[in-house]
Structure formats: structure tokens, C-alpha cells
Amino acid sequence: QVELVETGGGSVQTGESLRLSCTATGSTFQGADVAWYRQAPGSDCETVSAVQSDRITLTADSVADRFTISLSNDKTTLYLDMNNLKPEDTATDYCAADWDLGLRALDCLTRRFGSWGRGTPVSVSS
């Protein structure tokens, strides 16, 4: 199974920005549905944004005007650009990908299908 690795998380103040990156060890994201998820302490997992067939098909209302998902041209890196961060964005962010079943197979709670990273923490202070 392909291993995903997220980087770029950190501690910032309200209004600042972060760029998360995700790479697939020994592979690229060519042909995969990919997505970012996040889980805040004590909260359910939330789908942040997703790309299917090179098109952004899903973005959570809570981040729609602030976060942007993208893939590098060579499909080796998945990004999440997060601008105007707020304390409610504090969470552990995960990237996920599936080359066979697609986005519908990605379940943030069970993580039974697809490939998942271990997460990168984002902390936003007021």
C-alpha cells in the first residue's frame, strides 16, 4: 500500500497562512482521487476538500473562501493552501488517496480503504 506523508502543519496566529503538502512514497497521484480531511479534538472527522479526475469536486463551506486544494503538475504533491486561519481551524489534517475505488471509498473514521497519511497538526491561536 502506498504511504502518504503530510508536512507543513504548525502553530500560527489568527489571520496567518499555512501550506500543507502531501507526497506518496514510491508513487504519484496520477489517476487517484485525493482529499484533505481534518479532525479537531473531540470532534468528528471533516472532509475539507477533494480532487477527482483533476477537478476540485468538494470543498467544505467552512473553508470555501480561504482554503485551496491543488496538485502539482507532475502529480507528485498534493497541497492545501490555508489562508486567513481561524482558531476553529485547529485540527490534525490528513491527506488521503485512492487509485481504485475513488473518493467514495475514503472514510476518515475507519480509513479502511485507500492510503492515508499520519496527519499534521495545525494550531491557530487568537
Side-chain angles (χ1 to χ4, degrees), residues 31-102:
D33 286 355
V34 294
W36 286 98
Y37 299 83
R38 67 182 181 181
Q39 188 164 24
S43 298
D44 291 335
C45 210
E46 176 186 24
T47 306
V48 177
S49 193
V51 173
Q52 296 173 276
S53 300
D54 294 332
R55 294 172 57 192
I56 299 173
T57 56
L58 185 154
T59 300
D61 289 341
S62 58
V63 305
D65 57 347
R66 301 183 295 121
F67 291 11
T68 303
I69 190 172
S70 63
L71 276 168
S72 61
N73 289 337
D74 59 4
K75 303 294 193 290
T76 61
T77 307
L78 175 68
Y79 299 105
L80 184 68
D81 287 296
M82 306 187 295
N83 298 310
N84 190 21
L85 283 160
K86 303 175 181 180
E88 51 264 42
D89 295 318
T90 295
T92 299
D93 288 66
Y94 303 89
C95 64
D98 193 288
W99 288 260
D100 299 313
L101 301 177

